[in-house]
Structure formats: C-alpha cells, structure tokens
Amino acid sequence: MRTLISSFAFVAIGLLSSCGGGNDSASEPDTGTRYASYVYASSEVATESGLAYSTRPNMGGMQYTSTLTRTQEQNQSTLTMRLDVFEPPLKAGQGNRPLVVFVHGGGFQAGDKSERADEAVSYARLGYVTATVNYRLTPENDTNAVLRQTAITHATEDVQNAVRYLKANAARWSIDVNRVAIVGTSAGGALALTSAVMGDPDALEGTESDYDGVSSHVAAVVSTGATLIEPLFDTDPLLHYDAADAPVLLFHVSGKPDSATGATWEANVLPTKERIDASGNTCQAVQTPEVPHTIKVGVGATHWPTIRDFLYRELALAELPA
C-alpha cells in the first residue's frame, strides 16, 4: 500500500499496451464457463442494500456520502458509509466465490453507489458476489490541494474499510477473501488504483482500519478514467510501489486529453504505468481513443473480453469448480 493520493485521470477503450501482466492463454476462460458467460438470470440475484460498514466524523459538517443524501448529511456531525451486496445463487459444493467491488466516480464530490448497480448485477449473473459502495464526498476539492488530498484520503479509507467489512463477513455471502477485485470509474478508478498500491500491510497516511486483523489487500484492480498523477500536488513522495501490490488493468483515453480531467496518455498514463511496472508489479494499459473519459465496464461492453480475461487470470478462476 502507499500513500497514493490519486485523483488522477483515466479512460479506457481499446488498444492494448502492456503494463506488465501478459496474456497467459492457459488461464483465459472458454466461452460458456462460469465467470465468463451468464449462468443466472437477473431475477436470481439477491440484493442486500444499505449495509453500514463504517462511521466517521463529518469534517466541518461539509461532507456527505452520496449526492442523493447531501442535504441531510451535511448537517450531521458523523457520517455512516453504506454498501449494497449482490449475490448469485450458491450451488451445492461450489464453495466460496470471488468478489468484485464497484466504486463510482464523481470527482470525490458527487455520485452514488446506485450508479454501478447494473454492472454489479451483470457480474453477479456470471457467478461473482459483487458490491457497490458509497464513500465520503468532499465539495470544492478540485481547486484546493489540501482539500483534494483530504478528500482522496478519506475516500480511500472508506473504500478499504468496505473491502475489510466484506472480508470480515465473508461467510455470510460465501466470499473467497483471496479472490477480491475492485473495479472503479473516474474518481472511483483513482480509488481503485490507490487500493492497488496501498493495500495492507502498508497503510495510507491518515487512514485507519475498522477491522483489526482483516486485510484491505485485493488481488486485482480495474481502473478507467484515472491515473496516479495528481495535478494539484506531487504524489511521488507519498507513494511506495512494490511487487506485492495488486495487478492493474488500466483503461485511458489516448490521442487527446481526458475530457473530465485533462490527463493525457503521455503525461499521466505512461508515468503511472512505468511506476507500477518498475516495482515488479504488473499493469496492463489499454488505450481507448474512442471515448472522452471512461469506458463501460459491464458484461458485454466493448472492453468486456479484456476485463473478463484479466480477472480470470489474476483471480486464478480456472482453479475453481465449474
């Protein structure tokens, strides 16, 4: 883990550039296999909503956990962060299932977990247990470096505690704690990257675990619309990369600046890739010149085959029962 205060910019679409990782054909799924093709209908996916996973002071009474609850929460002294879980049926003898956690975007000041619900259901139909999370949002963080760093630190702490909560309650949903991935879009992509390089036993400065003895480390991260290069301050003194970090699949616009962040392939993506690769970890970078900011990450979307194969490989899904 490291202090990866990333607000960074990423987008994804389609040209493969390797950030490490490689394609091991022996570990790529055949069509028709669990985690590669639908095995359940949407109606078979059970949903548990609004599960509280962490509570924190509301900094200056200015923060909130969702655009939908901003008015009520900005008047509160504390905030309770919540998540939703989407669970497919558990077959007899199947054992524990891999988990994918979806993190929404919104510049660390807008958005709601419901924005990623459709993707979460689509992955659950493949056999994954999935979750969508809300986290602390901080207004006006896009022009003030100190406020920006605080916003990212708080959001990172929340996402990592969401992962710990789900692992601590793994038996409830038959989750395999060693097969956990995070998929993030825009600001959520930055939080996914942060979690990739700052998972336990490392710790982002200023964050605290709510679950003693439960690791926030994940096995794989997919990010779109974000990088580890922050425009308001130098992140290098805060970040520490190593080979034990989670492998990364990074989608980003190329050939033009990201429409939301201004990040470019040359100035933001390649330096991010180089830092990850140099640590001994791996990053697979995919150019997406066809989109202005983020790609669609749901099952069946343009880049789904790349995401599918990455998760299948990095979560070692070939080892699980069919």
Side-chain angles (χ1 to χ4, degrees):
M1 193 156 81
R2 8 264 105 241
T3 303
L4 174 179
I5 298 180
S6 13
S7 48
F8 339 140
F10 272 95
V11 176
I13 316 177
L15 264 155
L16 241 206
S17 169
S18 154
C19 232
N23 281 318
D24 178 2
S25 58
S27 61
E28 293 176 2
D30 295 325
T31 57
T33 60
R34 188 180 300 275
Y35 310 119
S37 301
Y38 287 139
V39 291
Y40 302 109
S42 297
S43 59
E44 296 180 276
V45 176
T47 304
E48 293 187 58
S49 302
L51 302 172
Y53 69 84
S54 185
T55 298
R56 288 290 186 275
N58 185 351
M59 183 183 68
M62 66 186 298
Q63 295 176 308
Y64 40 96
T65 68
S66 166
T67 299
L68 302 179
T69 55
R70 176 173 181 170
T71 302
Q72 308 94 287
E73 290 183 319
Q74 282 190 305
N75 296 320
Q76 297 175 357
S77 59
T78 61
L79 295 174
T80 296
M81 279 59 73
R82 300 180 184 276
L83 57 79
D84 299 343
V85 173
F86 304 84
E87 183 185 13
L90 180 64
K91 284 189 173 182
Q94 182 180 349
N96 293 332
R97 289 84 56 86
L99 167 70
V100 178
V101 179
F102 290 87
V103 187
H104 71 80
F108 308 102
Q109 58 185 316
D112 181 77
K113 54 186 168 59
S114 61
E115 297 170 12
R116 302 273 71 88
D118 287 348
E119 291 94 337
V121 170
S122 73
Y123 282 50
R125 292 184 61 193
L126 303 176
Y128 289 98
V129 177
T130 63
T132 58
V133 303
N134 276 348
Y135 51 89
R136 276 172 288 176
L137 303 173
T138 306
E140 301 177 8
N141 71 74
D142 50 348
T143 57
N144 181 299
V146 174
L147 197 59
R148 182 71 163 187
Q149 181 171 335
T150 300
I152 297 169
T153 300
H154 287 181
T156 297
E157 179 179 57
D158 294 342
V159 170
Q160 291 188 330
N161 272 322
V163 170
R164 294 185 184 106
Y165 167 85
L166 291 163
K167 287 186 175 183
N169 292 277
R172 178 172 174 179
W173 298 290
S174 297
I175 292 170
D176 186 335
V177 299
N178 296 312
R179 290 182 167 91
V180 179
I182 298 177
V183 176
T185 59
S186 194
L191 295 174
L193 290 170
T194 304
S195 296
V197 303
M198 301 173 64
D200 295 325
D202 297 320
L204 174 62
E205 183 177 355
T207 65
E208 182 178 344
S209 172
D210 287 355
Y211 302 90
D212 290 343
V214 181
S215 174
S216 65
H217 180 78
V218 296
V221 157
V222 178
S223 173
T224 175
T227 72
L228 301 184
I229 308 302
E230 165 58 48
L232 293 183
F233 53 88
D234 181 11
T235 61
D236 279 344
L238 304 170
L239 306 179
H240 309 282
Y241 306 87
D242 60 62
D245 295 340
V248 171
L249 173 59
L250 184 162
F251 293 95
H252 201 282
V253 67
S254 63
K256 61 188 178 238
D258 183 298
S259 64
T261 65
T264 67
W265 186 264
E266 292 77 14
N268 299 80
V269 179
L270 291 181
T272 296
K273 165 183 164 45
E274 290 164 0
R275 285 159 171 76
I276 294 174
D277 286 344
S279 72
N281 184 21
T282 60
C283 170
Q284 180 180 341
V286 180
Q287 299 181 53
T288 57
E290 74 276 16
V291 299
H293 181 39
T294 60
I295 63 162
K296 294 181 179 180
V297 296
V299 175
T302 300
H303 294 284
W304 163 243
T306 302
I307 297 172
R308 176 199 64 198
D309 293 353
F310 173 78
L311 294 177
Y312 203 85
R313 180 178 66 248
E314 300 302 341
L315 299 182
L317 300 183
E319 300 174 4
L320 298 179

